[in-house]
Amino acid sequence: MARRSSLFIRIVEGKNLPAKDITGSSDPYCIVKIDDETIIRTATVWKTLSPFWGEEYKVHLPSNFHSLSFYIMDEDALSRDDVIGKVCLTRNILAEYPKGYNGWMNLTEIDPDEEVQGEIHLKIEIFSTDLSRKVRCTVFEARDLARKDRNGASDPFVRVQYNGKIQESSVVKKSCYPRWNEVFEFELEESFTEKLSIEVWDWDLVSKNDFLGKVVINLHRLQTDVQEEGWFRLSPGKTKTNADDGNLGSLQLQVRLRDETVLPADYYKPLIQLLCQEVKTSYKDKRVHLIRLIDETTSAECRQEVATNLVKIFLGQGLAKEFLDLLFRLELDKTNEPNTIFRSNSLASKSMESFLKVAGTQYLHSVVGPTINRIFEEKKYVELDPSKVEIKEAGCSGLHRIQTEGELIQQSAQCLQSYLTDLLISIAKSVKLCPATIRATFRQLYKRVEERFPENKHVNVKFIAVTSFLCLRFFSPAIMSPKLFHLREKHADARTSRTLLLLAKAVQNVGNMDAPASRAKESWMAPLQPTIQQGVSQLKEFIIKLIDIEEKEELDLQKALNLQSLTVKEGQLMIYRTKGKGYLMASSFKKFFLSLTVDALSFAKTPYSKKSSFIPLSRVRALEKVEEKCFGNSNVMQIIYTDETGNLEALYLQCKCVNELNQWLSAVRKVCVNNNDMLCSYHPGVFKGEKWSCCHQKDKGVAGCDKTRHEVTLQEWNDLLDPELEAQLIFRHLNGVRELMKS
């Protein structure tokens, strides 16, 4: 039995933010921290006080986390980014909203005395002497303290107070993982009303000392000769009372915390077998009870989640095509008007949408990626709607005159025709790139629609059924929001975003088979009509080739797909290995192409060159972040592993941004989830100058000074399947509608 906690986070938008730039605007982005560790950074939305992000994330994490914080920042090119404000949700607050929190929250000011983090290791005991009773406080060490100095560390010391008396520890220079091992004793007052206060401060030579957090111990519950020892979380110095003044603007969030108790796989076998049996026999037995019940009882707010869980269950069982085929038949039985086919957000539509994202992300990137990249690189001004044309955007420098509206629209049409033609050619050539499971599923969809609407007047309906998913629910959304589909690292600017939107509209018109209704709705798209009509013919030919797959070919292609899917993540990163001697510097990093499979992490000079080295994942012992001060870069992670002789070594990976860092951390943690002998602690610093930079210990093999965070991962569409969790979520859904099952 395992307890798993997950957070669904949607950062929607902000409004009424204060201006931080001299232009009277800001360039806001959002940082998300879980217990003071940065997990997410949204894209920057330029020159606005009401940014829209619309970014969604799902984070798996330990059930004992304390808080979730959202920091709104203003990006500055020349100086340190400004903090606009923050929103903090504790675990207890989130637990009060079992269906999730959805709404606006006012940003609050950042108070340095509240921005504390970390834990301190203490032992508190009361003992008697011949003359009195005393309280003894042993301060061992602290970990993950806030970084207050420019060097990326702090100079911490401890101040212990009791009954008006104060004692202080020594100062540990340049460390957020200090070790004191000092003892403080006080005469115990008889009434036990006074509390013992342990405060941690950052020592500064010139300016005022910075507060790092405190722990307050109620001695009344301690008895003589009984001691209490452990790690205590540092708390803020005070609590603000004027938090909701709203002067800093507000942030719209959707956050849902879910705790699941997941049982061993054997407990879910009856449910999985029942679902699979129903799918397998649905061709012979028209009575479909369980799937139909799920279809009819799933509400709109949870339909996407239920659909995704079912798709992953049946993918794991090798029955995704059969499951979707059953949903197609159930949906078509309820459809009398072909024009409405699969246009609603039914379980069939949501399941097919999830299936394409889970099984087809790599295919999407290979088809749409090149055109998206071209649009971002060219940054051309494109507009077809006369009411939106901005003449000032285009000066014709060669002729030294301003272009007319007609000339602008003509140039825009030519540009969009070029993008659309490129994309259609890419789609037409992609038959062999499309995963066999997707091709076979589209074959079933095409066949079922043709059986339901066989008349000649509905000849296009079977094509539209395929394109309603492929174009309208897969290609077009990815074109409009490439960052959300991991096609780009950042959101598009306003100009590029408009180009993407117009291209997505054109793809939708092609997917609708150039329906008259589409043309009438936005008549200004007429300049693209010849390319759209040609695209309709190309798309029909493509669909006919796409669904032309025999069962033997399907199995062969599926084997090839399974081999390809062993690659979990790949990309170019800067790496540094600790093998051999030498001083660690940022310049020590070398560029390599990394490839992560379910068995090993390998690296080579280029994607096509021979692998120069690899680390078997069975040898990995920890995967954690590295302190910024070590290399002057905050986006470095370390993979701690054992070499051939059993000694611990480290591989350092330097990433471009915090999102890439967390994606790599998450990916490697997932494939190492079943590793034995994983470390419980690690060193967030590096060993140089004959000591650890984090805790200053001189023994290279000494236990780490911070706790590892193996459970923290980001969910991706292409994650490895987790059948126990998916089954538990479906069981919970069915349990929620058990009254309907009885009737």
Side-chain angles (χ1 to χ4, degrees):
M1 182 185 299
R3 190 169 180 83
R4 306 189 195 178
S5 293
S6 62
L7 270 173
F8 168 79
I9 302 168
R10 185 164 193 258
I11 306 162
V12 186
E13 60 182 321
K15 67 179 180 182
N16 301 327
L17 301 182
K20 291 290 183 178
D21 301 335
I22 58 174
T23 59
S25 187
S26 291
D27 303 313
Y29 64 91
C30 181
I31 285 177
V32 182
K33 292 185 178 182
I34 296 175
D35 284 350
D36 308 303
E37 182 176 358
T38 301
I39 300 296
I40 296 160
R41 183 206 192 275
T42 69
T44 300
V45 184
W46 303 99
K47 298 179 181 178
T48 181
L49 301 180
S50 297
F52 177 82
W53 291 288
E55 297 190 19
E56 294 182 2
Y57 302 90
K58 189 171 183 180
V59 186
H60 297 281
L61 70 172
S63 58
N64 60 350
F65 83 99
H66 295 86
S67 63
L68 173 68
S69 301
F70 300 83
Y71 292 79
I72 304 301
M73 312 288 292
D74 169 55
E75 184 167 337
D76 285 318
L78 302 178
S79 61
R80 185 186 293 268
D81 293 351
D82 298 317
V83 183
I84 295 176
K86 68 176 282 191
V87 166
C88 185
L89 294 168
T90 65
R91 195 188 197 291
N92 292 336
I93 291 174
L94 291 172
E96 295 174 5
Y97 298 90
K99 293 186 177 180
Y101 176 84
N102 183 0
W104 290 90
M105 298 193 74
N106 287 335
L107 295 174
T108 63
E109 200 174 317
I110 304 298
D111 185 337
D113 286 348
E114 284 194 318
E115 297 301 297
V116 304
Q117 65 182 64
E119 299 172 303
I120 187 168
H121 185 190
L122 305 171
K123 181 168 72 174
I124 312 296
E125 52 190 327
I126 295 175
F127 65 97
S128 299
T129 65
D130 293 338
L131 301 175
S132 64
R133 284 194 300 171
K134 292 187 176 182
V135 57
R136 176 185 294 151
C137 174
T138 306
V139 180
F140 296 105
E141 58 189 319
R143 62 190 180 196
D144 196 26
L145 299 179
R147 291 147 181 80
K148 296 292 185 178
D149 298 336
R150 289 179 178 270
N151 59 19
S154 290
D155 303 318
F157 69 93
V158 176
R159 180 178 294 159
V160 185
Q161 302 182 55
Y162 179 74
N163 200 22
K165 296 179 181 179
I166 298 176
Q167 298 181 41
E168 292 185 352
S169 72
S170 58
V171 176
V172 179
K173 295 290 187 68
K174 299 179 182 179
S175 177
C176 293
Y177 299 85
R179 307 174 76 86
W180 293 285
N181 292 319
E182 296 186 26
V183 178
F184 305 91
E185 292 183 357
F186 298 90
E187 294 283 344
L188 195 64
E189 50 102 21
E190 294 183 4
S191 63
F192 278 82
T193 55
E194 288 292 325
K195 295 179 180 179
L196 182 69
S197 174
I198 302 98
E199 297 179 348
V200 186
W201 291 80
D202 167 48
W203 177 84
D204 284 313
L205 177 62
V206 179
S207 60
K208 186 178 70 170
N209 294 338
D210 298 309
F211 179 73
L212 295 177
K214 71 176 182 179
V215 173
V216 178
I217 305 293
N218 187 349
L219 299 177
H220 187 69
R221 56 191 175 86
L222 283 177
Q223 299 176 359
T224 304
D225 300 325
V226 175
Q227 65 183 35
E228 181 175 347
E229 181 180 349
W231 285 93
F232 295 81
R233 184 173 176 81
L234 293 172
S235 301
K238 58 183 179 180
T239 302
K240 290 187 69 172
T241 57
N242 58 339
D244 293 325
D245 54 14
N247 294 332
L248 300 175
S250 52
L251 179 65
Q252 187 183 7
L253 298 169
Q254 293 177 16
V255 184
R256 184 179 68 247
L257 170 65
R258 173 170 290 160
D259 290 320
E260 293 291 344
T261 301
V262 182
L263 303 173
D266 286 347
Y267 286 86
Y268 299 107
K269 276 186 179 178
L271 174 60
I272 300 297
Q273 289 171 350
L274 184 60
L275 288 167
C276 292
Q277 186 66 22
E278 187 167 287
V279 167
K280 289 176 183 177
T281 60
S282 63
Y283 297 96
K284 301 175 183 177
D285 186 358
K286 299 299 181 182
R287 294 171 298 172
V288 181
H289 300 298
L290 194 53
I291 301 294
R292 190 190 299 275
L293 177 72
I294 294 173
D295 185 16
E296 293 175 352
T297 59
T298 305
S299 63
E301 63 182 3
C302 66
R303 192 170 291 133
Q304 181 70 72
E305 182 182 47
V306 171
T308 301
N309 293 328
L310 285 170
V311 164
K312 288 192 171 185
I313 285 174
F314 286 109
L315 272 170
Q317 298 295 318
L319 292 170
K321 178 188 69 177
E322 290 78 6
F323 163 65
L324 291 165
D325 185 43
L326 171 56
L327 291 182
F328 295 154
R329 286 181 282 133
L330 290 174
E331 182 83 358
L332 287 167
D333 286 344
K334 298 182 286 187
T335 304
N336 296 316
E337 177 53 54
N339 291 333
T340 64
I341 192 168
F342 298 114
R343 294 305 173 99
S344 66
N345 288 322
S346 62
L347 185 64
S349 296
K350 288 296 184 183
S351 295
M352 189 62 180
E353 193 176 317
S354 296
F355 169 67
L356 289 173
K357 288 179 179 177
V358 172
T361 298
Q362 190 173 347
Y363 170 65
L364 173 75
H365 282 221
S366 61
V367 173
V368 178
T371 304
I372 296 292
N373 291 336
R374 181 187 163 194
I375 292 171
F376 271 81
E377 289 162 8
E378 293 181 352
K379 295 184 180 298
K380 291 185 177 179
Y381 176 73
V382 175
E383 186 54 75
L384 296 181
D385 186 350
S387 67
K388 289 187 169 68
V389 170
E390 298 178 11
I391 302 297
K392 64 179 181 180
E393 290 287 347
C396 190
S397 57
L399 299 176
H400 297 286
R401 67 178 179 85
I402 300 298
Q403 290 178 295
T404 65
E405 179 183 290
E407 288 172 332
L408 260 176
I409 290 177
Q410 183 181 5
Q411 283 190 4
S412 297
Q414 291 172 351
C415 188
L416 278 170
Q417 284 169 350
S418 176
Y419 294 146
L420 183 57
T421 300
D422 275 3
L423 184 57
L424 291 170
I425 291 172
S426 180
I427 293 172
K429 292 180 178 179
S430 70
V431 171
K432 296 297 182 182
L433 296 175
C434 188
T437 309
I438 293 179
R439 292 181 64 185
T441 302
F442 277 133
R443 180 190 62 197
Q444 290 299 107
L445 174 61
Y446 184 94
K447 176 183 173 183
R448 296 301 176 194
V449 175
E450 190 174 40
E451 291 171 352
R452 179 67 180 83
F453 298 103
E455 300 91 344
N456 287 334
K457 64 179 180 178
H458 299 315
V459 67
N460 278 341
V461 174
K462 53 184 178 289
F463 292 103
I464 292 175
V466 174
T467 60
S468 66
F469 292 115
L470 193 63
C471 293
L472 276 62
R473 292 178 181 263
F474 197 40
F475 289 156
S476 286
I479 293 168
M480 283 191 287
S481 302
K483 183 182 186 298
L484 302 185
F485 287 78
H486 301 302
L487 285 158
R488 299 289 297 187
E489 287 184 8
K490 295 183 177 181
H491 283 307
D493 57 29
R495 174 182 289 191
T496 305
S497 183
R498 181 61 180 169
T499 305
L500 294 171
L501 177 62
L502 291 172
L503 179 61
K505 286 179 180 290
V507 171
Q508 288 172 354
N509 286 350
V510 175
N512 285 324
M513 297 290 142
D514 192 26
S518 298
R519 271 181 274 161
K521 186 178 179 182
E522 293 167 333
S523 58
W524 43 264
M525 294 281 287
L528 297 181
Q529 209 55 42
T531 311
I532 290 173
Q533 289 175 348
Q534 184 181 358
V536 170
S537 301
Q538 289 176 297
L539 202 57
K540 284 184 176 180
E541 291 177 14
F542 165 74
I543 291 171
I544 290 170
K545 292 177 183 177
L546 188 73
I547 65 173
D548 184 18
I549 176 172
E550 298 296 331
E551 202 154 316
K552 181 182 181 303
E553 184 185 4
E554 179 187 339
L555 292 173
D556 292 342
L557 286 172
Q558 193 58 48
K559 287 178 183 176
L561 174 68
N562 289 337
L563 290 173
Q564 292 173 10
S565 66
L566 292 175
T567 301
V568 178
K569 189 172 179 62
E570 57 186 8
Q572 208 146 37
L573 292 176
M574 305 293 287
I575 73 168
Y576 181 88
R577 301 185 77 173
T578 58
K579 288 279 187 181
K581 296 182 179 180
Y583 195 75
L584 289 173
M585 298 181 294
S587 59
S588 303
F589 284 86
K590 305 297 181 186
K591 186 180 290 186
F592 281 91
F593 186 85
L594 273 71
S595 179
L596 175 66
T597 69
V598 294
D599 300 313
L601 179 71
S602 57
F603 33 102
K605 288 290 185 183
T606 70
Y608 311 104
S609 59
K610 185 179 179 181
K611 301 288 186 292
S612 61
S613 186
F614 73 96
I615 298 173
L617 296 184
S618 59
R619 293 183 183 172
V620 172
R621 296 293 174 261
L623 304 125
E624 301 295 335
K625 296 179 181 178
V626 178
E627 283 189 297
E628 180 178 355
K629 67 176 182 177
C630 299
F631 299 106
N633 188 318
S634 58
N635 302 315
V636 178
M637 62 176 278
Q638 58 179 312
I639 299 177
I640 304 169
Y641 64 100
T642 56
D643 61 14
E644 294 81 358
T645 61
N647 294 321
L648 288 177
E649 297 291 347
L651 173 73
Y652 297 99
L653 306 182
Q654 181 177 317
C655 303
K656 292 183 293 232
C657 62
V658 69
N659 284 347
E660 184 179 62
L661 170 68
N662 284 320
Q663 286 164 9
W664 272 100
L665 264 178
S666 180
V668 188
R669 282 172 176 172
K670 287 170 191 171
V671 292
C672 295
V673 67
N674 294 318
N675 278 17
N676 296 321
D677 304 322
M678 294 296 277
L679 299 176
C680 297
S681 63
Y682 80 106
H683 290 284
V686 295
F687 193 80
K688 61 181 181 181
E690 299 185 348
K691 66 178 180 181
W692 286 101
S693 63
C694 43
C695 57
H696 304 335
Q697 295 186 87
K698 295 183 178 181
D699 180 2
K700 187 177 180 181
V702 72
C705 53
D706 199 4
K707 57 186 177 183
T708 52
R709 299 168 174 86
H710 302 307
E711 302 102 324
V712 181
T713 58
L714 295 171
Q715 185 185 51
E716 302 286 354
W717 283 109
N718 58 352
D719 275 353
L720 301 174
L721 302 179
D722 189 349
E724 290 84 14
L725 179 58
E726 268 101 46
Q728 166 60 28
L729 295 173
I730 293 301
F731 171 76
R732 181 172 51 76
H733 173 76
L734 289 170
N735 195 41
V737 296
R738 62 187 181 277
E739 295 303 321
L740 290 172
M741 294 174 67
K742 292 177 183 177
S743 59

